[in-house]
Amino acid sequence: MMVSSISNISNFISGVAAVAVAAAVVLTHCASLVVGSVEYSPKQEAKALLESGWWSHEYLNSTTTTPCKLPGITCNPAGSITHVSLQGYPPLYGRKLGRFLNGSSFPNLVHLDLAKARLIGSIPPEISTLSKLTHLNLSHNYLSGELPLSLRNLSQLVMLDISFNSISGSILPELGNLNTLVQLNLSDNRLTGAIPSTICDLTNLQYLSLSRNQLSGSLPSRIGNLKNLTSLKLSSNNLMGTITPSLGSLKSIQYIDLSSNHFNGSIPIEICSLSTLLSLDLSNNSLVGEIPSRFADLEDLTTLNLAFNNFNCCIPCSFMYHRTTLHADTYLYDYVRCSKIWSGGIVKDGLIIVCISFILASSFLVLIIWAVFYKCGCKNKKIKSLDETIATKNGDIFSVWNYDGNLAYKDIIQATEDFDIRYCIGTGGYGSVYRAQLPNGKVVALKKLHTSEAEEPALRMSFETEVKTLTELKHRNIVRLYGFCLHKRCMFLIYQYMERGSLFCVLNNDVEAMELDWKKRVNIIKGIVNALCYLHNDCTPPIVHRDVTTNNVLLNSELEAVVADFGTAKLLDPNSTTQTTILAGTYGYIAPELTYTIAVTVKCDVYSFGVVTLETLMGKHPKEILSSLSSSSTQNLKLIEILDQRLAPPRSRLAVHNVALVDSIAFACLNADPKLRPTMDSVSKQIVERRTPLADHCFHEITIGHLMNP
């Protein structure tokens, strides 16, 4: 009996202990929830969003208890943020990602899309605090610096897109630990070094793009491990060595682009076993040997680009009956290799006749096309006017290609994969701009109006204005128009590609802005002067651009400037003393007289040029100075105080002289009275003569007042 009682007591004590332990666990858990609710409550998340400065007070204030109604924010049922997507909302213009993450955490955030938000600075290490992220899109921004090592902690990532930025350094080998990744896009940056072999451990990867970087080394031999890969894009790098046969193991692959590298050796025959392959681009390499005839066995292959290599043979005859669009060097078309013919084998005469007939027919067709283009003016001969040609086509479609006479609509569609978002490098009110590499290896920029804009009469008129204007202009500091397509449902322009993008973007990227020393900035200003002088003085009739901004000044790889976007340009009638029109241009650059008159003169461009010049030297828009030019406090500001503080002050005698000169010109161009502004011709002469009325002043003593009243 006693034993039984002791046993019962023991069981009771054990039960109480178990309950106590359970209670402790529950209490501990509850405590963490309380802490969590305090630290990560919706109110705290709303406060963090406010402190980031990304959402203005009109949307959010300190008394807001939920951020769920903010633009671009999605919450879970508990009111905690799960999605942030600023696509379709106004860009952030120069904000830093660290402001969003600093001092706060969003524990339930799974989707962060900040594409095209115009972010600057680096990717902060604090990105790792977003531990539940599955989608991270930072593409099409102005991010710089290296990839933070903390990215390796985002173990649940499915999509990582940091394309179209200025990220430098090497690709982190630790990215190979993100084994849930399905999409990885690091294209269009400044990445260097080799492709880490650990990338080949991402066996769930379906899309991999590292194109247009400065990557070197060879293609990882284990790349065939990526069994689920459908797109492999490594173009425009410095990759070298032979193409690994392991590509033949990519049984799901549809698109391979290894163009514009330094690959050598022959094409691995294993590639010919990729039955799912739709497009293969090996152009612009140093490949040798024969073109495998087994390519013709790939029934789904629609595009094969082998141009600009060193193949020692010609195209297999089997391609002549294949629906693949083949791009190759001209000499490869000189004769068709039918193996049994040229090796002495016996074939039916009919096959020889078919091959020869095909060559003759193709040659004849090329001659006809050349003759038509030559007669239509593609060799810079006289054509019907644009209006007459459009009328002839009933407004349906009209296109001119004068870029080596080689462009075709299908080339544009293939080069952009039917205007895929991956090729988009910018957007605006008119539509989108795309980067496209043509079959001949050349790169162009396409400005495409969206379908809705293409149907707007005002935007269609702007499109036609730009075409009419640019087809007549030829100047090294004005963007070249290579071609266009005008259709009631599809309208796009094809321009010379400017590698460094707009002056606005460069000035708003700390790394790129510091690359623009004073000499380069003055040279950019000189390029703009040359362009406007040409428009105002050398064109008949004169042309007023009407939208001169840093967004419409583009820079090439050598940081030389061209003026672009002539959609609002206007031709001045020399027989009319005043010409009126509707207001056009960009706020902050429009001449003040256009607020009370609709008369258009070249002096409107002169004022905009003055704003752009100041912005170039200051590194930011001079809105505060423009709004208070007449105040004594502004006029007492020293020049050295308003110059871009990211650069050391100009030191050499030449740099000091040039900066003072163009600054004095800028303030003359900003005169409120258009009659007192200089002409662009006189600005050009003053720059050439290099005379400045401030020569007797010490540079550190020059004020805005001196510049305004030299």
Side-chain angles (χ1 to χ4, degrees):
M1 186 66 132
M2 184 176 294
V3 173
S4 175
S5 298
I6 293 174
S7 176
N8 290 336
I9 293 171
S10 176
N11 290 338
F12 174 76
I13 293 174
S14 298
V16 170
V19 170
V21 171
V25 171
V26 170
L27 287 173
T28 302
H29 180 62
C30 290
S32 68
L33 287 177
V34 171
V35 172
S37 65
V38 172
E39 186 177 354
Y40 301 129
S41 67
K43 184 175 181 180
Q44 289 298 317
E45 291 186 353
K47 184 174 182 293
L49 293 182
L50 175 62
E51 291 175 349
S52 75
W54 289 13
W55 284 266
S56 64
H57 283 267
E58 68 177 282
Y59 295 123
L60 181 67
N61 57 56
S62 58
T63 63
T64 301
T65 58
T66 174
C68 303
K69 295 182 180 180
L70 290 176
I73 298 293
T74 304
C75 297
N76 61 18
S80 183
I81 298 173
T82 58
H83 290 66
V84 175
S85 177
L86 298 186
Q87 289 274 17
Y89 294 102
L92 300 175
Y93 292 108
R95 303 293 173 85
K96 295 186 177 182
L97 184 57
R99 289 290 302 275
F100 178 73
L101 300 174
N102 187 29
S104 63
S105 182
F106 301 91
N108 297 309
L109 190 65
V110 295
H111 189 114
L112 181 59
D113 185 352
L114 300 177
K116 303 176 185 175
R118 299 196 176 184
L119 295 171
I120 63 171
S122 59
I123 303 174
E126 292 82 3
I127 194 75
S128 62
T129 62
L130 307 177
S131 58
K132 290 187 179 180
L133 270 188
T134 60
H135 289 73
L136 176 59
N137 188 350
L138 302 176
S139 65
H140 294 87
N141 281 294
Y142 310 115
L143 298 172
S144 55
E146 299 186 0
L147 295 172
L149 186 61
S150 59
L151 279 174
R152 65 182 178 180
N153 297 327
L154 301 179
S155 58
Q156 299 186 46
L157 273 185
V158 173
M159 189 274 278
L160 176 60
D161 190 343
I162 315 181
S163 61
F164 291 96
N165 280 286
S166 298
I167 302 296
S168 57
S170 58
I171 299 175
L172 297 172
E174 289 79 5
L175 292 183
N177 297 330
L178 305 180
N179 52 25
T180 56
L181 269 183
V182 173
Q183 297 181 44
L184 176 59
N185 191 348
L186 303 177
S187 65
D188 295 271
N189 279 288
R190 299 179 180 179
L191 295 168
T192 57
I195 300 174
S197 61
T198 53
I199 293 293
C200 304
D201 296 330
L202 302 175
T203 53
N204 290 309
L205 209 58
Q206 296 179 16
Y207 180 90
L208 174 61
S209 180
L210 307 176
S211 294
R212 294 174 294 280
N213 280 288
Q214 300 165 30
L215 300 173
S216 56
S218 59
L219 200 59
S221 59
R222 295 195 297 121
I223 202 163
N225 292 356
L226 304 178
K227 304 295 184 182
N228 293 304
L229 202 64
T230 59
S231 292
L232 175 63
K233 300 181 181 296
L234 305 176
S235 65
S236 301
N237 280 292
N238 296 313
L239 300 174
M240 59 186 68
T242 58
I243 299 176
T244 174
S246 69
L247 285 180
S249 300
L250 302 177
K251 298 305 181 184
S252 300
I253 199 73
Q254 296 178 359
Y255 300 93
I256 297 179
D257 187 355
L258 307 181
S259 62
S260 300
N261 280 289
H262 305 292
F263 289 115
N264 53 37
S266 59
I267 300 175
I269 195 66
E270 289 80 2
I271 293 181
C272 299
S273 64
L274 299 175
S275 58
T276 58
L277 195 61
L278 301 177
S279 175
L280 175 63
D281 192 343
L282 303 178
S283 62
N284 284 282
N285 280 290
S286 301
L287 299 173
V288 297
E290 297 187 352
I291 300 173
S293 60
R294 284 184 53 194
F295 275 135
D297 298 335
L298 301 179
E299 296 182 357
D300 293 330
L301 187 65
T302 57
T303 302
L304 176 61
N305 194 344
L306 305 175
F308 300 98
N309 278 289
N310 299 314
F311 296 114
N312 57 12
C313 64
C314 47
I315 300 166
C317 190
S318 53
F319 276 107
M320 302 309 168
Y321 309 100
H322 200 271
R323 64 189 184 91
T324 299
T325 301
L326 177 65
H327 305 282
D329 301 298
T330 304
Y331 78 90
L332 293 177
Y333 287 103
D334 286 347
Y335 65 92
V336 180
R337 184 195 68 182
C338 298
S339 57
K340 291 187 179 179
I341 295 175
W342 306 121
S343 63
I346 300 175
V347 296
K348 294 184 178 180
D349 293 342
L351 182 58
I352 299 176
I353 294 173
V354 168
C355 288
I356 294 175
S357 298
F358 182 89
I359 297 170
L360 293 175
S362 300
S363 302
F364 184 67
L365 181 60
V366 169
L367 287 173
I368 292 176
I369 293 173
W370 178 87
V372 170
F373 270 80
Y374 187 88
K375 192 170 183 178
C376 288
C378 294
K379 295 295 183 180
N380 295 323
K381 301 295 182 181
K382 189 173 180 181
I383 65 171
K384 295 179 179 180
S385 70
L386 177 63
D387 289 329
E388 292 171 334
T389 311
I390 293 175
T392 302
K393 295 289 185 179
N394 298 318
D396 183 35
I397 186 168
F398 174 67
S399 58
V400 165
W401 311 109
N402 56 13
Y403 186 75
D404 300 331
N406 289 331
L407 286 181
Y409 180 81
K410 68 175 183 179
D411 293 333
I412 299 302
I413 298 301
Q414 291 173 354
T416 60
E417 295 183 35
D418 199 10
F419 297 103
D420 189 280
I421 187 64
R422 296 193 304 274
Y423 298 92
C424 182
I425 57 176
T427 58
Y430 51 80
S432 302
V433 178
Y434 296 81
R435 181 189 187 278
Q437 184 171 9
L438 300 174
N440 61 5
K442 302 295 182 182
V443 176
V444 296
L446 289 92
K447 184 166 78 172
K448 178 181 181 292
L449 271 69
H450 299 313
T451 303
S452 57
E453 281 87 5
E455 295 172 354
E456 286 288 335
L459 288 171
R460 187 181 180 91
M461 182 181 297
S462 174
F463 181 97
E464 293 182 16
T465 298
E466 185 154 13
V467 170
K468 290 177 184 178
T469 305
L470 284 178
T471 50
E472 300 296 327
L473 300 182
K474 286 181 172 48
H475 190 278
R476 66 173 296 172
N477 295 113
I478 292 178
V479 68
R480 289 183 61 191
L481 178 70
Y482 292 147
F484 63 91
C485 175
L486 179 58
H487 188 275
K488 58 187 177 185
R489 291 185 303 275
C490 180
M491 294 161 56
F492 59 82
L493 297 144
I494 304 177
Y495 297 102
Q496 158 192 14
Y497 179 68
M498 305 299 287
E499 294 84 353
R500 301 301 292 270
S502 71
L503 176 58
F504 173 87
C505 295
V506 172
L507 291 175
N508 281 275
N509 181 305
D510 288 344
V511 174
E512 295 193 16
M514 292 179 68
E515 184 182 347
L516 279 188
D517 58 26
W518 299 116
K519 179 180 179 181
K520 291 172 182 174
R521 296 192 190 205
V522 170
N523 285 337
I524 288 170
I525 293 167
K526 289 179 180 178
I528 303 170
V529 171
N530 294 337
L532 294 178
C533 276
Y534 171 77
L535 294 174
H536 295 178
N537 302 295
D538 298 333
C539 293
T540 306
I543 298 173
V544 184
H545 186 281
R546 297 208 296 166
D547 198 16
V548 179
T549 69
T550 51
N551 254 324
N552 292 334
V553 174
L554 307 180
L555 306 176
N556 64 13
S557 59
E558 304 300 320
L559 294 173
E560 297 171 332
V562 300
V563 174
D565 202 337
F566 284 75
T568 59
K570 186 171 181 63
L571 278 64
L572 295 183
D573 183 356
N575 299 318
S576 174
T577 55
T578 61
Q579 294 191 59
T580 61
T581 184
I582 60 173
L583 183 64
T586 301
Y587 180 75
Y589 299 86
I590 300 174
E593 65 269 18
L594 292 178
T595 60
Y596 57 82
T597 179
I598 51 176
V600 179
T601 70
V602 293
K603 295 299 183 71
C604 300
D605 280 353
V606 173
Y607 181 89
S608 301
F609 164 76
V611 179
V612 168
T613 299
L614 272 192
E615 186 174 350
T616 303
L617 296 175
M618 293 174 60
K620 61 181 180 180
H621 191 279
K623 53 186 177 183
E624 292 85 2
I625 290 177
L626 295 179
S627 63
S628 59
L629 272 177
S630 59
S631 72
S632 58
S633 59
T634 296
Q635 295 192 18
N636 288 332
L637 282 174
K638 289 188 167 68
L639 170 59
I640 197 167
E641 294 175 341
I642 68 169
L643 293 178
D644 195 337
Q645 300 300 302
R646 293 171 294 187
L647 296 184
R651 300 186 185 281
S652 70
R653 183 176 180 181
L654 180 60
V656 166
H657 178 276
N658 284 339
V659 169
L661 174 61
V662 295
D663 257 310
S664 65
I665 290 172
F667 281 101
C669 294
L670 294 173
N671 198 303
D673 186 347
K675 294 179 182 178
L676 298 181
R677 293 175 202 149
T679 64
M680 292 310 302
D681 187 49
S682 65
V683 168
S684 177
K685 289 178 180 176
Q686 190 172 350
I687 289 178
V688 171
E689 293 171 358
R690 296 183 52 226
R691 289 185 299 173
T692 173
L694 301 168
D696 296 333
H697 289 72
C698 175
F699 182 75
H700 287 74
E701 297 176 354
I702 296 176
T703 65
I704 290 181
H706 290 139
L707 296 167
M708 293 177 62
N709 306 289

